[in-house]
Amino acid sequence: MATPSKTPPGADPKQLERTGTVREIGSQAVWSLSSCKPGFGVDQLRDDNLETYWQSDGSQPHLVNIQFRRRTTVKMLCIYADYKSDESYTPSKISVRVGNNFHNLQEIRQLEMVEPSGWIHISLLNQRTNEPISTFMIQIAVLANHQNGRDTHMRQIKVYTPVEESSIGKFPRCTTVDFMMYRTIR
Amino acid sequence: FRVAAVWQALNHYAYLDAVFLAERLYAEVRSEEALYLLATCYYRSGKPYKAYRLLKAHSCSTPQVRFLLAKCCVELSKLAEGEQVLIGGVLNKQKSQDDIITEFGDSCTLTLTLTDRVAKGAECFQRSLTLNPFLWSPFQNLCHLGEKPDPDQVFRLSSLQNCSIALPPQSVSPAQNPSHRLDTALMETPQDTLELNRLNLESSNGKLTPDLSVSYIDSSLITPETGSLLGSTVSMASAGSLLAKQNKPKSGRSLLGGPSALSPLTPSFGILPLDPSPGDPTYLQNYTATMETQSTASNKKVQRHTSVSRISQSKSVFSQSGNSREVLPIPFNQTQSSAPHTSGSPQVLSPSMSGPPNVQPRRSSRLFTSASSTAKENSKKLKMKFPTKIPNRKTKCKTAKTSNSSNLNESLDILRLEPGLGLPDPKSQYQRAAADSVMALLRELGRGYQALCSYNCREAIHILTALPPQHYNTGWVLTHIGRAYFELAEYAQAERLFSEVRRIESYRVEGMEIYSTTLWHLQKDVALSALSKDLTDMDKNCPEAWCVAGNCFSLQREHDIAIKFFQRAIQVDPGFAYAYTLLGHEFVLTEELDRALACFRNAIRVNNRHYNAWYGLGMIYYKQEKFNLAEIHFKKALSINPQSSVLLCHIGVVQHALKKSDAALETLNRAIGIDPKNPLCKFHRASILFANDKYKAALQELEELKQIVPKESLVYFLIGKVYKKLGQTHLALMNFSWAMDLDPKGANNQIKEAIDKRYLPEDEGEDQVDDSQESSMTDADDTQLHTAESDDVL
């Protein structure tokens, strides 16, 4: 009997942000949940605090809907899940769907997690072109939890868009300080 | 008596006492002077709104009262009202008009620039400058407005002005006064006397401790409006007072170069006589006596100005002899009587005093003048009120200060006269010499500053570095040279200078926002966060500190926090254009272009010549692909700052986007001509050549660039593309792989794509399939949970 290997935790998204390659854009979106327990809602999901969490309060699948004002390129999602603290509330199967509105969603990724203990990075790159997807809406669906729990805890979700960083010209980012110094007038 | 007590309290910065006493005085004696005194107390204790309401409730007829009201209006941003008050005053007596016009310039700027009457504002500044060439802030404001006042013209002392200026500070040599009094002198005198008064007031504490005296000397030196001369005179005064006190005169002396030198000067500078008679109640008597004699001597030629200056002198005496309270009232009363009238005759004082030695008359005259001048001073230059109060002043004052001290020393040396209460004439000569040296310094500074404001940076650097070392090593000069380097995009040099400023004057906040942007460009996050912490701890009320904090977080890519700090900077000071610009840049980085546009427009509203804001607008339009608009805005920015190679580079790229490649190349050539070290210009020139199929030239350019910036992946990327176009796949691949290596974060999909497409150069059709295979392979990886670094996996 092979125990499935535990999902390794990913890097802290803050580190990612500091590289300047991605930018967190969750603040530009409207977040909604399929259900939640009072006091454990969207605010707790988006408060940058790993101690607070969203607790769902309905039937599966539990949904997190992220709607943008305009079509946005999204490169990756980061979800914080911790089996040790959430146990049966920890999601085990997550489906990511994108589309224009609620009726237009298409699943682009489905992933299984085994006893996660940190940040899970879900990269949302287009299958064919390897480009980040551009969408109006993202829906994260929790299809199953560990130990077949009914409700789920989710501690933090972050949405990242790639930073073009092209101040002028259609070129990729420059790497040296010397170049970057002259890139812009501040 | 109460009036004297109030003035004494003011002198000693005991504002609560001053206000209390003034209120009682006003309640008892509802005269205009008392009203003025009370308003002054309010204003000085930092509550202009109280003074404003008080003065509004009562009609003001005397010019000084009106002036105070106008000052309050300016502080409270009631600019139209302030202007009206001043103009109303102009219609008054001639004298008041002159006084007002001098101050008019300063207040006018605010009013006029805000109401877009820039030309009129500039004119007012010019006038105020002609009236008093020691004024630095009108000159500075003129530079800001984009006018180009000629420093040689401005900072020039006519013989008349010389004397008039010299006279007020002295406040003692009435003989001099008369000979030089003219209308222009009149105008200057009030200001000077005002300044002097303030200085005297400050130096009044010279009696107390040497430290105080030193500080007073400093404060006296920091006369915002007037030049160093006043400062010197005041410092002399304070030094003199020190001497008089005999209590640790050393400090004063050390600063001023010796008591003996002071003594001859004191008369001319309105400093207390050398005789160290400490806090002697008879002082005043003596002073008054001397004043008497002096006044009699000068009476013949005395004009109103004289009395004013004398009054200021007496004022200083007054302040100095703070201890001997009972004596104070007497001279003060005298001054009181003369205070309201600039044309008060000095004789008013004299009768009340007995006739002591010659030395003392100085003091008394000073008392006299100071008392009256306080009135005037308040009406005139309330700005000068707190030397330490206004940071802006401080910067200029610093130069004035440093120049003052140097001039003082010079003048001290020059003025080594016999301790006798010598003739005014030699003194005036010395004063003129001192004033001339001050003027020369101001000229240099003015030239440098003006060059900087017209973004003639190399010239500015050249002029400012040619200053004598004692001036060069001051915060003001170094900051401005640092800024000149910053505008030239020579950030390393700028950083060096700014860190020197921090070492010399750690309390300086002006110019720190430029330093923070320099560090931002150089990506020195440690230094930047240290600076930010230091400044925000030191002064939470200045916009520069919050700008630095915002820059710090922006460098850490925490744009939301940076936005918060920039907004705080705007809250602290809505007139600080750079905060708006920085906020706009942050919004651009968070892709909120509408808000960014609004911010940049705000910055332009505050300061029309803020070329960074014009640049920001151009950038936004470029992002939105509105290239025409972008070009227009960039060109506008360029018209303000014609020597910025970065701007030219951007214009070149925009022109290329507009398909005007030849113009683009020409612009880029210009940019490279101005600043050959700018690698981006060469890079863009190479890319335009590449786009125009001029591969050889592009390659050559890129090879040169490789030498300059060997670690830049973009260079190799472009070289790779050129080789690819030329069909030399080997070299292309090699360069692409170098580019990939040099790009540690591996986020450059473009490079990956370029390499992908290189894999199968022969068959374009297969490329697609292979590309998809490549990407599907990578995608398969992606379906697994992976860390961010897996992006590098290829």
Side-chain angles (χ1 to χ4, degrees), chain B residues 55-77:
Chain B
L55 291 175
K56 283 284 284 181
H58 304 83
S59 66
C60 340
S61 55
T62 53
Q64 49 261 43
V65 177
R66 195 172 299 107
F67 183 76
L68 177 57
L69 178 58
K71 271 310 261 194
C72 297
C73 291
V74 168
E75 289 251 340
L76 299 172
S77 303

Side-chain angles (χ1 to χ4, degrees), chain B residues 213-362:
Chain B
S213 55
V214 170
S215 60
Y216 283 119
I217 291 170
D218 282 353
S219 52
S220 61
L221 288 175
I222 302 175
T223 46
E225 310 290 346
T226 55
S228 49
L229 190 55
L230 280 181
S232 54
T233 50
V234 176
S235 51
M236 302 264 243
S238 42
S241 58
L242 282 176
L243 291 176
K245 283 204 57 139
Q246 241 184 6
N247 300 337
K248 322 160 205 174
K250 293 266 169 71
S251 46
R253 278 183 213 173
S254 55
L255 204 65
L256 297 176
S260 55
L262 284 176
S263 49
L265 291 176
T266 49
S268 50
F269 286 107
I271 302 177
L272 289 175
L274 296 175
D275 299 16
S277 35
D280 198 340
T282 58
Y283 241 12
L284 285 176
Q285 291 187 346
N286 285 340
Y287 293 165
T288 47
T290 15
M291 180 156 163
E292 223 178 341
T293 49
Q294 286 227 340
S295 52
T296 44
S298 56
N299 269 346
K300 340 165 198 167
K301 309 169 196 174
V302 166
Q303 297 171 20
R304 329 182 255 195
H305 324 288
T306 328
S307 55
V308 172
S309 58
R310 225 173 294 131
I311 289 174
S312 56
Q313 293 173 0
S314 54
K315 174 102 203 189
S316 55
V317 175
F318 170 80
S319 46
Q320 287 169 356
S321 49
N323 290 343
S324 42
R325 259 220 181 186
E326 69 277 12
V327 189
L328 292 178
I330 310 170
F332 195 89
N333 287 336
Q334 292 173 341
T335 54
Q336 261 299 60
S337 50
S338 52
H341 325 286
T342 47
S343 51
S345 70
Q347 284 121 0
V348 178
L349 272 184
S350 23
S352 55
M353 301 291 197
S354 53
N358 220 1
V359 166
Q360 281 129 4
R362 301 278 161 73

